[in-house]
Amino acid sequence: MQPLFASDQPATVLVAGGSRGIGRALVEALLQRQDIGRIYVLARHWSEPAGDPREQRLCVDLTDPQVLHGLGEQLRAECLRLDLLINCVGLLHEPDGLQPEKRLADVQLDWLLQSFTVNAAVPLLLARELLPLLRGRHLCRFASLSARVGSIGDNRLGGWYAYRAAKAAQNMLLRTFAIEWARLNPNGCCLLLHPGTTDTGLSAPFQANVPEGRLFAPAFVAERLLQVIAGHGPADSGNFYAWDGQPIPW
């Protein structure tokens, strides 16, 4: 397994969507490491300050272009590079509101656009704004949570139009970014990751039919995703993997 970070200086990490679920578990796992210098953790809202001085919590609406631009300016002023960026932002349903479509008649334009904004555009726009911190020759990874249901080749059940299509769009956008990024940092690696069905608020309404042993705790998923990230380097950039390291067809 390759090292997660270069050894020349303490690592600077950013986790988008790090206030709960898988994102929070990833932050907590990373804070157990001694080679972490600082973790920027993004969320819409924070209810309490961070307990570890290395964790810098930022309130950010990643769907707002001006806020995203301001985030980029702030980070460029505070650090010289990012060693790891993990995007955990995602939208599958709204509490007491819109849900994944079961049939074509359920499709609504506003829900399609909202899903594409959060699930596809946000990770790419993060890459755009933070590209100056990803350039260079340092070992650097950009990982984003996708989903197996975003695989066109693996789609056998149908339904979930907006979420499936938005995750498929994210896969294409970030694979395209990976090709450009390779020219700007030959040691960069962009990965699309399927975390499996995890016991979080995102999956809560859909857990009833999950097979026994296939509903994972966030801490387990965070550990496995970090192993997958560490196990892949520049030659694997732009590829799509499950939590167990197995490749997923596009």
Side-chain angles (χ1 to χ4, degrees):
M1 182 175 294
Q2 303 183 48
L4 188 55
F5 304 114
S7 59
D8 57 331
Q9 64 184 52
T12 300
V13 177
L14 183 144
V15 178
S19 63
R20 57 188 178 177
I22 296 172
R24 188 68 230 158
L26 283 164
V27 172
E28 292 172 357
L30 287 164
L31 287 172
Q32 299 300 311
R33 299 177 61 100
Q34 299 303 310
D35 52 0
I36 297 288
R38 179 186 296 177
I39 302 183
Y40 292 97
V41 188
L42 313 183
R44 282 180 177 268
H45 307 288
W46 291 103
S47 58
E48 57 186 21
D52 191 307
R54 295 174 297 167
E55 181 182 352
Q56 184 168 340
R57 296 181 173 181
L58 302 177
C59 294
V60 179
D61 179 358
L62 294 174
T63 65
D64 186 322
Q66 291 187 334
V67 171
L68 260 174
H69 183 66
L71 172 70
E73 290 185 330
Q74 177 183 344
L75 266 62
R76 290 193 296 273
E78 293 181 2
C79 56
L80 295 176
R81 75 187 198 193
L82 285 175
D83 299 282
L84 172 64
L85 189 158
I86 306 179
N87 170 60
C88 300
V89 176
L91 175 67
L92 176 57
H93 62 90
E94 290 182 335
D96 303 319
L98 292 168
Q99 301 291 317
E101 310 92 338
K102 294 182 179 179
R103 54 183 184 156
L104 184 61
D106 297 331
V107 171
Q108 298 183 41
L109 178 59
D110 60 344
W111 187 234
L112 283 168
L113 295 175
Q114 190 175 350
S115 184
F116 270 73
T117 297
V118 175
N119 294 315
V122 161
L124 185 70
L125 295 176
L126 266 175
R128 185 192 69 184
E129 293 298 337
L130 300 178
L131 185 60
L133 302 177
L134 307 175
R135 301 174 68 127
R137 300 190 67 83
H138 65 289
L139 179 62
C140 183
R141 293 183 176 89
F142 184 114
S144 187
L145 297 192
S146 184
R148 187 180 294 276
V149 296
S151 165
I152 296 173
D154 193 60
N155 183 358
R156 298 176 179 84
L157 297 176
W160 290 31
Y161 284 87
Y163 190 70
R164 284 184 184 275
K167 288 297 187 178
Q170 182 197 150
N171 291 350
M172 175 59 84
L173 291 170
L174 291 186
R175 184 169 175 87
T176 304
F177 159 67
I179 294 169
E180 179 177 353
W181 189 25
R183 299 191 287 266
L184 304 174
N185 184 344
N187 292 309
C189 178
C190 179
L191 300 173
L192 287 307
L193 301 176
H194 166 60
T197 304
T198 310
D199 190 9
T200 66
L202 184 140
S203 70
F206 314 104
Q207 294 177 5
N209 296 321
V210 177
E212 185 176 354
R214 302 299 289 183
L215 179 64
F216 304 134
F220 170 81
V221 171
E223 177 186 352
R224 296 307 301 263
L225 292 180
L226 289 174
Q227 290 178 6
V228 174
I229 293 170
H232 294 88
D236 308 303
S237 189
N239 288 340
F240 187 14
Y241 298 100
W243 58 273
D244 57 1
Q246 294 301 308
I248 298 177
W250 297 118

